[in-house]
Amino acid sequence: MCSSDLSDTVTAGRTVVANGELVSVRHHPASKEFPGGSVTWNWHAGMPVASYLVEDSVGTYSLTSRVVNGIRFYQAQDLSISAAQRAKNLAIMDMQPDITAFESQFNGPFPFASDGIIIGTPEAGFDEEMEGMIAFAGGEIDTDTLYHENMHQWWGDNVTEANYRYTFFKEGMATVAEFLYHARLAKNFQASLVSQFNAVYGQGKDFWTGAPSDPEPYTLFDSSSTYDRPAAAYIALRQILGHANFTKALQQIQRTYGGASITETQLEAVFHRWLPVRSQACQQRLSQFFTQWFDTAYRTGGGANRPRITGPGLAGPGFYTAGGTCA
C-alpha cells in the first residue's frame, strides 16, 4: 500500500471524486482536446491506499464537504438522481460524522484525515468501502450498509488482510457494525447483541458448512462464513473478554497494524493478550474457540454441527465454568 496523488483533467462541468482530500481545482480555456474548456482536479491521499480501494470517479456530481471533530467529510451525488431521492440520500449521508464517532468508541480514533460518500447511478450490484470515500451504487444509500462500509475504514482499509483467505476478519467486523447499529436503536444495547448472536447461532442447514479461513473464491462475498459467522464470533469474544478488554484489543490491533496487513495468527494473538483469566487452561480454550469459529467446516444441519464454545450469557456452551475458570 502507498499514498497517492490523483490529478484528472476532464471536460468543463464534470466533477472528479477521489480518495483523500481535494487540493485544488484549476479551470482551463478551450483547446483542441477540450473545445468547451477543461478543468483539472487534484486530490491527495496521505494515507496508504490498497489498489482495490482507489476511488476515481468522473461525472456530474454535486460535491460538498464539512469538518466535524477535525475530520473532513465529503458528500457527492450524481445529479441525474431525482431531487426527491437525493434528499432521502442526504438525510442518511448526514449521519456519517455521528456514525464515525460511534464506531470510534470501539476502534479508536478515525485513522484518516477525511471520510466521505459518493453515490453513483450504475447498478454495480454492490457497495464498496473505497478508502475515505465510500461508494454506493444504484443511486441509493441505506443506513445498515453505511455502518458496515464505514467500519471498513478501520477494518480492511487501515488494517487490511494479509491474504484473501482472511477476508472474514474484516467483513466480520464490518458486520458487527450492523449488529451495533441495531443494538444502538434498541432499548437495551446488551440484550440486543445477545439476541442477534442467538439468532445467528440458531442457524441450521448449510450455515456452518464453510470454514471462514478456507473460503471458496467464487462465494467469498456471498457466504455466511464471510459475514455473519465471524461477526457472531466477535460478539462472543466481547462476552469472553468483557467489553473493556475487547475494545482495548480492537484498538491495539489498529495501533499495531494500521497502514499494513494482518494474518489470522496475529489477530488471534492480540485477543489472547486481553483474556481476563490468563491461565493456561483459558488460553487453550480460547485457541479452541478460534479453531471452532474460524477454521472448522461442519456437516450440514446445525445443532451439534457448529461451534461448541460461545460466551457468557449467550446461547450454546459458555467459555467459563460456573466458578469463572476454564478448568
Side-chain angles (χ1 to χ4, degrees):
M1 299 192 295
C2 59
S3 59
S4 64
D5 289 282
L6 187 141
S7 180
D8 278 359
T9 298
V10 298
T11 302
R14 297 284 182 174
T15 300
V16 176
V17 181
N19 309 88
E21 296 181 89
L22 181 61
V23 176
S24 64
V25 181
R26 298 200 308 270
H27 296 269
H28 311 292
S31 65
K32 180 179 179 181
E33 293 82 6
F34 297 97
S38 62
V39 58
T40 299
W41 296 75
N42 294 295
W43 290 79
H44 172 69
M47 65 287 197
V49 182
S51 58
Y52 78 97
L53 296 171
V54 172
E55 172 66 33
D56 182 13
S57 293
V58 179
T60 54
Y61 295 104
S62 63
L63 177 64
T64 61
S65 72
R66 57 178 172 147
V67 176
V68 181
N69 296 327
I71 304 169
R72 182 169 293 279
F73 290 89
Y74 289 95
Q75 296 178 334
Q77 292 198 69
D78 192 316
L79 291 173
S80 67
I81 301 170
S82 72
Q85 184 60 51
R86 290 204 309 271
K88 292 179 181 178
N89 291 342
L90 184 60
I92 297 175
M93 297 168 80
D94 283 343
M95 297 178 185
Q96 193 175 28
D98 175 70
I99 292 171
T100 301
F102 173 72
E103 293 177 344
S104 294
Q105 296 177 40
F106 302 89
N107 305 318
F110 188 72
F112 312 129
S114 64
D115 199 6
I117 299 167
I118 178 172
I119 303 179
T121 54
E123 294 289 349
F126 58 90
D127 305 306
E128 193 165 0
E129 66 274 17
M130 314 311 284
E131 190 164 317
M133 192 65 70
I134 301 168
F136 284 83
E140 297 181 358
I141 185 174
D142 68 88
T143 309
D144 278 271
T145 306
L146 179 54
Y147 269 83
H148 181 109
E149 304 300 346
N150 204 69
M151 192 73 151
H152 268 311
Q153 301 304 307
W154 287 271
W155 304 97
D157 292 13
N158 189 44
V159 179
T160 193
E161 65 276 26
N163 184 286
Y164 90 93
R165 290 183 56 194
Y166 308 134
T167 300
F168 74 89
F169 110 86
K170 64 174 186 179
E171 294 298 345
M173 278 304 305
T175 304
V176 165
E178 298 180 53
F179 290 11
L180 294 173
Y181 164 52
H182 290 285
R184 193 182 187 191
L185 296 179
K187 292 181 179 180
N188 187 311
F189 187 90
Q190 174 64 17
S192 174
L193 289 180
V194 170
S195 176
Q196 291 180 80
F197 173 90
N198 290 347
V200 172
Y201 193 68
Q203 294 291 320
K205 296 185 178 180
D206 297 330
F207 186 87
W208 305 98
T209 57
S213 63
D214 188 23
E216 295 288 342
Y218 63 90
T219 61
L220 183 60
F221 293 104
D222 185 28
S223 171
S224 60
S225 60
T226 300
Y227 296 91
D228 288 342
R229 178 171 165 180
Y234 287 129
I235 298 301
L237 270 174
R238 180 177 176 272
Q239 296 295 105
I240 293 167
L241 272 61
H243 174 74
N245 278 13
F246 179 70
T247 299
K248 289 174 182 177
L250 299 186
Q251 295 179 6
Q252 182 180 337
I253 292 168
Q254 291 297 314
R255 289 193 304 270
T256 304
Y257 297 100
S261 61
I262 193 171
T263 66
E264 181 183 353
T265 300
Q266 292 169 329
L267 177 78
E268 294 171 3
V270 175
F271 289 116
H272 270 281
R273 294 190 196 108
W274 290 99
L275 190 61
V277 182
R278 303 296 299 276
S279 68
Q280 183 177 359
C282 283
Q283 295 287 358
Q284 290 176 343
R285 190 158 176 80
L286 188 59
S287 294
Q288 294 170 352
F289 171 91
F290 286 126
T291 298
Q292 291 183 15
W293 280 92
F294 292 160
D295 306 323
T296 304
Y298 296 90
R299 295 194 302 273
T300 188
N305 300 319
R306 59 181 173 175
R308 302 304 294 162
I309 303 175
T310 62
L314 302 175
F319 186 84
Y320 302 103
T321 67
T325 68
C326 302

